Amino acid sequence: MSKAPARTPTGRCCTSTSAARSPRPCTPTARPPAPSRKPPGSAHWSWTSGWPEHPYPAQLDDAETAYRWLLAQGYQPQNIGSTGHSIGGTLAIMLPLRLLANGEPTPGAIVSISPWTDLTIANPKVDENEENDKMLSRNTLELFRGAWLQDPALDFADPKISLVNADLTGLPPTVVHYGEYETLAGDGAELGHRLTEFKVTSAVHPMPEGQHSFILAAGRVPEVDQAIAQMGQWLRLHLGA
């Protein structure tokens, strides 16, 4: 009896990265999940290993591994969303930029939540919002930066790691969400300005009084649920377009 041909997935899917609050910085594993253990159309991994053991660019390499795994399952680039929260929101944009530099197709849309886009930590909002943001401070950002960027030759202003200095030409439709009370509020706002400068289809949604990791209040704070609904609408609108 002949074997039925494999079916090409026709749905939409996302690569997703996020960082949970923990006593020390952490990094994603590089093992995309078995399809039977996750909902169809999702490649999501958690942050488990300490950054000192896995410095930059290990996390970006992992994001690329997850993306290529989805492609290998038959998903088309335009049906894949690149999404992430915190440093994952940064990686959600770094991945398409790496693909563009290699002349390869990018995911069809980006959702970047509370991204860290200026590794020089020069934005004035870092200090202005320190009393409001209970998740991050200048000291914790400096700690995370030192653990992540261990190569002494790296310039913190390098466009490869500080997206506020990057050429964003060619990025797919990108939405940025951030909390107005978080230390990285200025990073999110500046990224929004840069997306407009490079004529990227984009939208920016500041969460009033939102702190870093405001998204963790999903299911408990109506404004957060509304923001998540907006993210879903963005992906439905642009994936497969």
Side-chain angles (χ1 to χ4, degrees):
M1 184 170 62
S2 61
K3 185 178 180 180
R7 296 181 62 187
T8 300
T10 57
R12 301 167 181 174
C13 54
C14 291
T15 61
S16 177
T17 58
S18 62
R21 183 171 173 81
S22 65
R24 66 190 184 116
C26 42
T27 184
T29 62
R31 298 179 181 84
S36 61
R37 298 181 61 187
K38 285 288 182 181
S42 174
H44 179 91
W45 64 100
S46 60
W47 298 63
T48 56
S49 304
W51 274 345
E53 293 84 10
H54 302 279
Y56 172 87
Q59 297 75 27
L60 182 55
D61 295 340
D62 289 346
E64 183 178 351
T65 295
Y67 176 69
R68 295 193 185 283
W69 179 81
L70 287 171
L71 294 178
Q73 308 312 302
Y75 288 98
Q76 297 301 305
Q78 67 270 21
N79 291 329
I80 298 174
S82 183
T83 73
H85 151 245
S86 192
I87 195 64
T90 309
L91 293 167
I93 298 174
M94 283 182 167
L95 172 62
L97 288 177
R98 174 184 276 191
L99 295 168
L100 286 168
N102 293 334
E104 299 181 77
T106 71
I110 298 172
V111 175
S112 179
I113 308 162
S114 297
W116 189 5
T117 64
D118 182 0
L119 273 293
T120 69
I121 319 181
N123 196 289
K125 285 294 184 182
V126 172
D127 297 317
E128 290 175 15
N129 280 347
E130 186 157 341
E131 290 300 314
N132 296 323
D133 192 341
K134 305 307 178 184
M135 298 293 286
L136 289 179
S137 67
R138 175 173 291 279
N139 286 341
T140 56
L141 289 174
E142 289 175 349
L143 172 67
F144 291 171
R145 182 179 64 183
W148 188 38
L149 304 176
Q150 297 181 30
D151 184 350
L154 275 176
D155 181 349
F156 295 147
D158 189 321
K160 288 188 176 66
I161 54 176
S162 282
L163 298 178
V164 292
N165 299 323
D167 183 341
L168 306 180
T169 303
L171 278 180
T174 301
V175 66
V176 180
H177 288 257
Y178 65 88
E180 290 185 338
Y181 273 13
E182 67 172 294
T183 56
L184 297 180
D187 287 44
E190 182 60 26
L191 175 61
H193 295 321
R194 296 283 288 173
L195 289 166
T196 299
E197 288 176 11
F198 284 95
K199 297 180 171 39
V200 177
T201 299
S202 60
V204 179
H205 297 282
M207 168 70 66
E209 301 184 5
Q211 298 187 22
H212 190 69
S213 296
F214 71 85
I215 196 171
L216 298 181
R220 295 181 292 276
V221 178
E223 292 85 353
V224 174
D225 291 339
Q226 181 181 2
I228 292 172
Q230 291 173 327
M231 298 171 200
Q233 291 168 1
W234 184 265
L235 291 171
R236 284 190 293 272
L237 175 63
H238 293 290
L239 290 186

